[in-house]
Amino acid sequence: MDTSVVLRPLAAYLLMAPGLWSTATSAAVPPIAYQYAAQAAEIPPEVLYAIALQESGLELRGRRRPWPWTLNVAGKSQYYSSRTQACAALQYAARRVKATRIDVGLAQLNLGYQRAHYSAPCELLSPAHNLTIAASILRRHRRAGEDWLPAIGRYHRPAGGPLATRYQRRVSEYLSRLQKGTLQ
């Protein structure tokens, strides 16, 4: 099976589901799916959306959007035009690559480290399920009395350090652009 990047009908998908997964009509308000997942975990929806932009963001027609059928296999990002294609590629990758080297979906959940959250790997391709898990992980990483930025860093790298700091900085840039309404 060829696991190369597949980007055929992205525009058609975005037209079919504008209220759930496209960029919100107001730059400062994340799409409703992010709001629901964030509310359930008691986190700011903008934080969850900014994480998804960093993790699975894709430039399409001049706008950056999180893409639900994104895989990262051994450091290589792969974007698929359907859940079916992404699932087939995920199953193929899971047979050939160590699970801790595979990230899945909008929030790029790690197949190895997040085993407790799924019974079959393709479940992580469900946008709502993926966001719910990501929101709960982020919530667990927030410590009492601190803002969300350190938790964002620990979402990416629980041990902290330079990788967490760099990730935190990148997500913070998306947050700033969301707040200013300059995210395209």
Side-chain angles (χ1 to χ4, degrees):
M1 177 181 151
D2 180 17
T3 59
S4 61
V5 178
V6 179
L7 293 174
R8 289 184 198 109
L10 294 181
Y13 172 77
L14 293 171
L15 290 173
M16 290 186 303
L20 293 178
W21 314 117
S22 66
T23 301
T25 54
S26 170
V29 179
I32 194 75
Y34 296 85
Q35 294 176 46
Y36 285 140
Q39 181 180 13
E42 299 178 332
I43 68 169
E46 298 81 9
V47 170
L48 185 58
Y49 190 63
I51 286 172
L53 285 166
Q54 174 61 35
E55 292 288 352
S56 66
L58 175 67
E59 295 292 330
L60 182 64
R61 295 184 183 192
R63 299 185 83 166
R64 186 158 185 91
R65 301 166 192 234
W67 189 247
W69 302 304
T70 302
L71 303 178
N72 185 300
V73 179
K76 182 182 176 195
S77 293
Q78 303 170 5
Y79 298 89
Y80 295 91
S81 61
S82 72
R83 182 177 174 162
T84 300
Q85 289 175 337
C87 183
L90 176 56
Q91 291 170 336
Y92 179 82
R95 289 189 302 269
R96 287 162 178 74
V97 179
K98 187 176 176 183
T100 56
R101 304 274 331 251
I102 302 172
D103 297 326
V104 182
L106 287 165
Q108 291 293 278
L109 299 174
N110 186 274
L111 203 60
Y113 296 121
Q114 304 307 328
R115 285 186 200 272
H117 297 287
Y118 66 89
S119 57
C122 290
E123 291 173 14
L124 297 178
L125 291 166
S126 161
H129 188 58
N130 192 283
L131 291 174
T132 299
I133 294 167
S136 71
I137 292 168
L138 181 63
R139 181 71 177 149
R140 284 194 314 268
H141 284 297
R142 185 167 187 228
R143 296 179 183 149
E146 71 181 11
D147 67 25
W148 286 100
L149 291 177
I152 290 167
R154 288 189 294 273
Y155 173 88
H156 180 69
R157 179 129 174 116
L163 291 176
T165 301
R166 183 175 65 201
Y167 182 83
Q168 176 183 329
R169 191 170 37 250
R170 288 178 180 163
V171 174
S172 180
E173 289 172 15
Y174 285 118
L175 278 170
S176 177
R177 290 170 60 194
L178 282 168
Q179 292 167 348
K180 293 175 185 174
T182 60
L183 183 67
Q184 290 297 324

